[in-house]
């Protein structure tokens, strides 16, 4: 059936995510609700592509934190000159203090965009197709992952170039997290508490959808379902 008023593409992605995750928890074959528009071909035996969409990748960067102290010499005689000298000295102290604070701020690690591409999530891992080429990831290569905020995950793992830590922003971020957690870390605290979904979203979405189109909410990981029952290899 068609989507209800107030239903966005983001809601659709989350709803499809819930349906696929519920199938995985129930031990059923996980199939995408719609054809997956991705140039990626499955690389593992029995692998099924589940979803694809734009992704922005962020990496940690730090400024050089350099600080250049102002020590320009200025001195004038006479009452007016002495006052001017004091004012210049005070200004230099204030300027130096501001530059120190700016240097500390620049030296602090911060997340910076590192490019965009196409994220494809599958039953066995995920792929990022970007101008630099295709980066395939198995769930086994991901050491840690959590949902930082709706539509964004914090992921650490072992790439072919060494260890990496990325933020990935995509409508399919929650699907990637849930499929990884069910395959590799079923005791993940966000999975077991239901915190991998936006607060209140499931209840709101259920009100907007026709009851016949609702997924088996009782089978979703978290308080709504038995997260502990998920185990084994991907279907």
């Amino acid at each position: 059936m068609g989507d209800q008023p107030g239903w966005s593409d983001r809601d659709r992605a989350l709803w499809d995510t819930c349906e696929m995750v519920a199938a995985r928890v129930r031990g059923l074959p996980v199939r995408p609700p719609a054809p997956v528009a991705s140039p990626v071909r499955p690389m593992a035996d029995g692998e099924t592509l589940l979803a694809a969409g734009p992704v922005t990748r962020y990496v940690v960067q730090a400024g050089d934190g350099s600080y250049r102290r102002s020590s320009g010499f200025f001195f004038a005689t006479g009452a007016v000159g002495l006052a001017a000298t004091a004012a210049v000295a005070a200004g230099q102290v204030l300027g130096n203090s501001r530059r120190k604070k700016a240097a500390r701020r620049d030296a602090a690690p911060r997340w910076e965009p590192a490019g965009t591409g196409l994220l494809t999530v599958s039953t066995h891992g995920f792929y990022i197709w970007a101008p630099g080429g295709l980066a395939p990831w198995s769930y086994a290569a991901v050491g840690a992952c959590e949902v930082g905020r709706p539509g964004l995950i914090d992921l650490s793992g072992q790439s072919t170039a060494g260890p990496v830590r990325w933020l990935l922003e995509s409508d399919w971020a929650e699907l990637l997290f849930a499929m990884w957690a069910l395959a590799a870390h079923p005791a993940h605290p966000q999975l077991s508490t239901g915190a991998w979904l936006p607060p209140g979203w499931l209840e709101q979405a259920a009100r907007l959808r026709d009851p016949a189109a609702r997924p088996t909410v009782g089978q979703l990981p978290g308080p709504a379902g038995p997260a502990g029952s998920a185990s084994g290899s991907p279907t």
Side-chain angles (χ1 to χ4, degrees), residues 33-44:
V36 179
S38 173
V40 174
R41 66 171 179 83
M43 294 186 177

Side-chain angles (χ1 to χ4, degrees), residues 31-56:
R31 299 286 183 260
V36 179
S38 173
V40 174
R41 66 171 179 83
M43 294 186 177
D45 292 339
E47 182 179 15
T48 300
L49 302 184
L50 302 178
V55 64
T56 300

Side-chain angles (χ1 to χ4, degrees), residues 90-145:
Q92 288 178 344
V93 170
L94 180 60
N96 288 336
S97 175
R98 288 175 176 170
R99 281 188 287 274
K100 283 182 180 179
K101 291 179 181 178
R104 286 195 296 268
R105 185 171 59 250
D106 291 342
R110 60 186 181 274
W111 292 100
E112 297 286 352
T116 58
L118 182 76
L119 171 68
T120 302
V121 182
S122 83
T123 51
H124 288 60
F126 67 96
Y127 304 82
I128 295 179
W129 189 40
L134 179 66
W137 280 75
S138 69
Y139 289 135
V142 177
C145 185

